[in-house]
Amino acid sequence: MEDKNRYRRMLKKENLRNTSHRQSILEALEASEEPVSAETLYLTLREKGISISISTVYRALDVLVEKDIVAKTDFTDNNKSLFEIKREEHRHHLVCVKCRKIIPVKECPFYEYAGELEERFGFSITGHKLEMYGYCQKCGGSPGKTGD
Amino acid sequence: MEDKNRYRRMLKKENLRNTSHRQSILEALEASEEPVSAETLYLTLREKGISISISTVYRALDVLVEKDIVAKTDFTDNNKSLFEIKREEHRHHLVCVKCRKIIPVKECPFYEYAGELEERFGFSITGHKLEMYGYCQKCGGSPGKTGD
DNA sequence: CTCCTTAATGCGACTGATTCGCATTTGCAT
DNA sequence: ATGCAAATGCGAATCAGTCGCATTAAGGAG
Ligand SMILES: [Mn+2]
Ligand SMILES: [Mn+2]
Ligand SMILES: [Zn+2]
Ligand SMILES: [Zn+2]
């Protein structure tokens, strides 16, 4: 219930109306540990008994991405975009090229590197995306720690 | 002319036939400093007087990506994929969100970080993509060095 | 060089994710 | 409560990318 108010504030700050659909979408995104497609999100909402149109899902996601509340990523292969709510600590992903599993990674080693590039290219970096591809443990990954 | 032989060898190694279209495509990709869309590539080839079909461009790119000779990237915004030949040193990109300029960056600060993640998640990393977004110098970037 | 097998290509039809137009509803400021 | 702009629903439209199938052209064997 307090998330509801947080979302309201976020939307307000961006001059977006606080609609029940946007609330539901933010809630569903927050609940998902992995990035989700517009269609998956749509189906999830419908299962919860929420009557919404797929166009609305796309439009809501668009505006949330534009306002930097949601991150949109196009992983290669699968032709659909995936969406993820932006959290305290932004995330990167390990994507298994075999089973398509996506593991979120919270660390970001890029800040100092970014500063260096900004100076070199006279470029002002406002964001970045990093996706790593390979094989998960089940599909033939390295035998490293099981993630303890 | 010696590139032609290099391409032939690359194709042969992957059991791909050495067709004139694939040669032209590799040549055009090599000549481009920036990633290009299938359509741009298609038009470039046509301008050179090469008669080719857009399906063939897509099919050639697909197989080259599959064989790890070409890198495919989906930059956000513009809904088309961009393609780039894989060079000695793989590249990342600075993308200006205003004018869409793409600056290639050759450094990759990523290798040791990758090793760490592999061990932690039992994941075997075979590749990665890193794209950075922001404003180029012309569009309001940092006043850093002009790239000397 | 000639033949043969099969990959590669052209072309048009098709797909499927995303977008759009427009009529209707809803949020929200006054 | 009222009015207006923003948001939504629904179907139509877009358009990058894919596919089927008939035709061409690599390139290996002889
Ligand atoms: Mn990061
Ligand atoms: Mn790298
Ligand atoms: Zn896997
Ligand atoms: Zn720019």
Side-chain angles (χ1 to χ4, degrees):
Chain A
M1 281 306 112
E2 58 209 47
D3 276 342
K4 229 165 190 161
N5 285 308
R6 187 159 56 82
Y7 298 148
R8 192 214 317 286
R9 270 180 261 121
M10 294 171 68
L11 293 168
K12 177 109 189 196
K13 192 166 83 175
E14 301 295 347
N15 284 349
L16 297 176
R17 289 188 180 173
N18 175 241
T19 69
S20 63
H21 285 156
R22 284 174 183 160
Q23 286 278 340
S24 307
I25 285 171
L26 288 168
E27 206 174 296
L29 288 174
E30 189 97 51
S32 171
E33 270 306 298
E34 292 181 13
V36 292
S37 68
E39 194 192 1
T40 300
L41 182 52
Y42 169 72
L43 293 174
T44 302
L45 295 175
R46 294 239 125 192
E47 272 175 29
K48 285 203 216 170
I50 294 164
S51 166
I52 189 173
S53 134
I54 186 75
S55 319
T56 300
V57 173
Y58 276 110
R59 279 191 282 228
L61 289 171
D62 277 357
V63 73
L64 293 172
V65 167
E66 191 187 319
K67 299 302 189 182
D68 216 45
I69 294 168
V70 165
K72 174 180 179 178
T73 305
D74 295 275
F75 293 86
T76 43
D77 192 44
N78 185 355
N79 43 328
K80 310 183 185 177
S81 298
L82 300 187
F83 301 85
E84 189 176 26
I85 197 165
K86 290 203 175 180
R87 311 176 193 256
E88 266 304 310
E89 198 151 17
H90 80 226
R91 295 180 177 192
H92 300 303
H93 305 92
L94 292 165
V95 182
C96 179
V97 297
K98 194 165 174 192
C99 73
R100 290 283 128 195
K101 178 178 183 179
I102 296 177
I103 300 172
V105 173
K106 293 176 185 172
E107 286 75 32
C108 174
F110 280 110
Y111 292 110
E112 57 181 288
Y113 177 59
E116 189 187 312
L117 288 178
E118 288 192 313
E119 189 167 325
R120 178 137 49 92
F121 291 99
F123 198 99
S124 172
I125 297 176
T126 57
H128 64 267
K129 285 187 198 303
L130 168 65
E131 315 302 337
M132 293 155 280
Y133 299 90
Y135 295 88
C136 75
Q137 198 158 43
K138 209 178 50 183
C139 294
S142 90
K145 299 168 186 139
T146 316
D148 50 305
Chain B
M1 281 309 111
E2 59 211 45
D3 275 341
K4 229 167 190 156
N5 285 309
R6 189 159 55 81
Y7 298 148
R8 192 212 317 286
R9 268 179 265 121
M10 293 170 70
L11 294 169
K12 178 109 189 193
K13 192 166 82 175
E14 301 294 345
N15 284 347
L16 297 176
R17 288 187 183 176
N18 175 240
T19 69
S20 64
H21 284 157
R22 285 175 181 160
Q23 285 279 339
S24 308
I25 286 170
L26 288 168
E27 208 173 294
L29 288 174
E30 189 97 49
S32 171
E33 270 307 299
E34 292 181 12
V36 293
S37 68
E39 193 191 1
T40 300
L41 182 52
Y42 169 72
L43 293 173
T44 303
L45 295 175
R46 294 240 124 190
E47 271 175 30
K48 285 202 215 169
I50 295 165
S51 167
I52 188 174
S53 136
I54 186 75
S55 319
T56 300
V57 174
Y58 276 111
R59 278 190 282 227
L61 289 172
D62 277 357
V63 73
L64 293 172
V65 167
E66 190 186 319
K67 299 301 190 182
D68 215 45
I69 293 167
V70 165
K72 174 179 179 179
T73 306
D74 295 275
F75 292 85
T76 43
D77 194 45
N78 185 357
N79 43 326
K80 310 182 186 179
S81 297
L82 299 186
F83 300 85
E84 189 175 27
I85 198 165
K86 290 203 173 179
R87 309 176 194 258
E88 267 303 310
E89 198 149 18
H90 81 225
R91 296 181 177 190
H92 300 301
H93 303 92
L94 291 165
V95 182
C96 179
V97 296
K98 194 167 172 190
C99 73
R100 290 283 127 196
K101 180 178 182 181
I102 295 176
I103 300 172
V105 173
K106 292 176 186 172
E107 286 77 31
C108 175
F110 183 67
Y111 292 109
E112 55 182 288
Y113 178 59
E116 189 187 313
L117 288 179
E118 289 192 313
E119 190 168 324
R120 178 136 49 92
F121 292 98
F123 199 99
S124 172
I125 297 177
T126 57
H128 65 267
K129 288 188 194 302
L130 168 66
E131 316 301 338
M132 290 154 281
Y133 299 90
Y135 296 89
C136 75
Q137 197 156 47
K138 209 178 52 185
C139 293
S142 90
K145 297 166 184 142
T146 315
D148 50 306

